[in-house]
Amino acid sequence: MSAKIDRAFYDIGHLDNLAEADTPLHRLDPRAKLLTTAAFIVSVVSFGKYEIAGLLPFFLYPAVLIGLGNLPLGFLLRKLLIVSPFVIFIGIFNPWFDQVVVLQLGAVNITGGWISFISLLLRFTLTVGAALLLIASTGFATICMALDRLGTPRIFTVQLLLLYRYIFILIGEAIRMIRAHSLRSFDRRGKIAYQVFLQMLGNLLLRSIDRAQRIHMAMLSRAFTGEIKVVRQFNFAYREIFFLLGFSALFIILRVTEVTAFLGRFILTLWAGGG
Amino acid sequence: MSHHIVEAQDLIFNYPDQTPALAGVSFRISHGESVAVVGANGAGKSTLLLHMNGYLTPTAGRVRIGDFLLTKATVREIRRSVGMVFQDPDDQLFMATVYDDVAFGPLNLGHTIAEVESLVAGALETVGMGHLKDRPPHRLSTGQKRRVAIASVLSMSPDILVMDEPTSGLDPQARRQLINLLRGFHHSKIIATHDLDMVIDICERTIVMHDGRIRADGPTREIFTDSELLESCRLEKPLRMQDCPACGNAPADRPSTIG
Ligand SMILES: Nc1ncnc2c1ncn2[C@@H]1O[C@H](COP(=O)(O)OP(=O)(O)OP(=O)(O)O)[C@@H](O)[C@H]1O
Ligand SMILES: [Mg+2]
């Protein structure tokens, strides 16, 4: 059990590890990546409930980023899978509620419910995937800095940054406790009795509060005044403008024109012309 | 210069659960002195040190740092001049990378970017952590974390260094580097430690604590030769001052003794 938790903990940290790489994508100014991701998500989400064909070309974007950033596809897919039950749960009832047949493939009737369910899954994969790619290529702390530079209220970015930091502390404390428990609970095989669990939970809370206080103290003793400063020069150059405008333009085109249908017709015409 | 004086007057401190941790502690450390605070586990060393920058507020008694009495009004100013290394390095590191963590203090003190860069590089160099500057601190080994914690304080060039067990968890070379570094630091230092051999190297004066009180306060050599005192406070002579376990020679007969 604790090994599993250790592993999950490692995985969260691993996203940040990926962000330390040095590739064309990593070198890009974080603001460009942040804004492009936002444009991407807005375009994807704004599609209609039954859209499938229109969403497919959007996979181009994550594919390009994975290529540019040399990111591990398998690892990111695993992360997606971990969150996917939530979405599947939200969408799984669509096929029951929405039984209107919208498409017939031979003898198979395809209902609106199935279409909207698949559309939901696609949109989930695209948006969450884009967010994961952003973190893996930029790092959470740097994203906070970028938000800050883009004019997000400071209180918000500092909160976000500290929240992220404290999550690690909380998980770290929890892991240490579970590890200590499992080392001394031989026959129970790491199962935690209810009474003990309550005690551990209370203990975890107190420990975390204490630790958060001491960290706050450490910040104060280093002249902290409510504003987190870092040395990091951001550079919004032509590359960034090209990246942002290029992709945004592509998203708009993919959103307003029916590229898939057009391509299909184009190929059909070619085929007809050839044959 | 009265600048780097540290003075405690009749400090009494009970933890919120009424554990009495300090029961009347008084001392005065003058500018440039290095003082070791030694004593058994639970003697009150860490508690005493946490009073030096206002983390804990005494139940009774007063702390003076430099020209200021430590109060709510002066605590900010005092924290800028007292560099504190906590017993647990996890308490001290909170930024996303080692570099950002060490740069945090200097940036807040209003140094320019160029100054900050050289201060950080210098501090990381001193503790030998330059090669890990882009790593997240929460995923370093304990000894590495401690070194980063020390760098994060050194980079602020404090007037007074307060360290809680700075050598615990360090490998022998890192420990030696730290000792050399601390010898070169000419401001006042207060070091709580169980590493009595380090005390011989760095501190000319030693305060022995026992059950929240000061049992002895004097020159390090005198204290460490008083076997009776050491034993009653659950301490031992530093290894270097003990008879050689292999040959049985007294330290005075050995050529390389400093003690
Ligand atoms: N947070 C706390 N709440 C209540 N009591 C505490 C707390 N921290 C320490 N104490 C108690 O205060 C006394 C002094 O503890 P302190 O941490 O100062 O000892 P120490 O000399 O630093 O010991 P060590 O060598 O183990 O670090 C001990 O009796 C301890 O049990
Ligand atoms: Mg202690």
Side-chain angles (χ1 to χ4, degrees), chain B residues 20-167:
Chain B
L22 297 179
V25 171
S26 303
F27 58 81
R28 180 189 161 89
I29 293 170
S30 50
H31 176 70
E33 246 185 322
S34 310
V35 179
V37 179
V38 302
N41 291 140
K45 305 181 295 295
S46 299
T47 310
L48 176 64
L49 259 47
L50 288 176
H51 280 81
M52 298 296 115
N53 73 348
Y55 178 60
L56 295 177
T57 312
T59 312
R62 299 195 295 186
V63 177
R64 270 168 62 93
I65 308 277
D67 302 320
F68 301 107
L69 205 61
L70 209 167
T71 62
K72 277 228 164 63
T74 58
V75 73
R76 261 207 180 167
E77 208 39 54
I78 283 176
R79 281 174 184 162
R80 281 166 190 241
S81 60
V82 178
M84 173 92 100
V85 178
F86 293 89
Q87 184 161 6
D88 181 352
D90 271 323
D91 292 347
Q92 192 141 14
L93 306 172
F94 46 83
M95 293 294 282
T97 68
V98 166
Y99 188 94
D100 288 337
D101 224 308
V102 178
F104 186 85
L107 281 171
N108 282 329
L109 292 178
H111 291 288
T112 64
I113 300 283
E115 284 168 349
V116 170
E117 281 177 350
S118 84
L119 282 171
V120 174
L124 284 175
E125 187 58 38
T126 324
V127 297
M129 291 297 293
H131 60 297
L132 294 181
K133 66 180 166 59
D134 293 323
R135 290 282 296 274
H138 53 91
R139 277 189 283 115
L140 297 176
S141 84
T142 310
Q144 290 171 334
K145 281 184 197 164
R146 181 171 303 280
R147 293 203 241 167
V148 176
I150 292 169
S152 73
V153 167
L154 291 179
S155 67
M156 294 179 66
S157 352
D159 298 329
I160 298 165
L161 255 186
V162 177
M163 301 181 128
D164 201 346
E165 307 205 7
T167 55

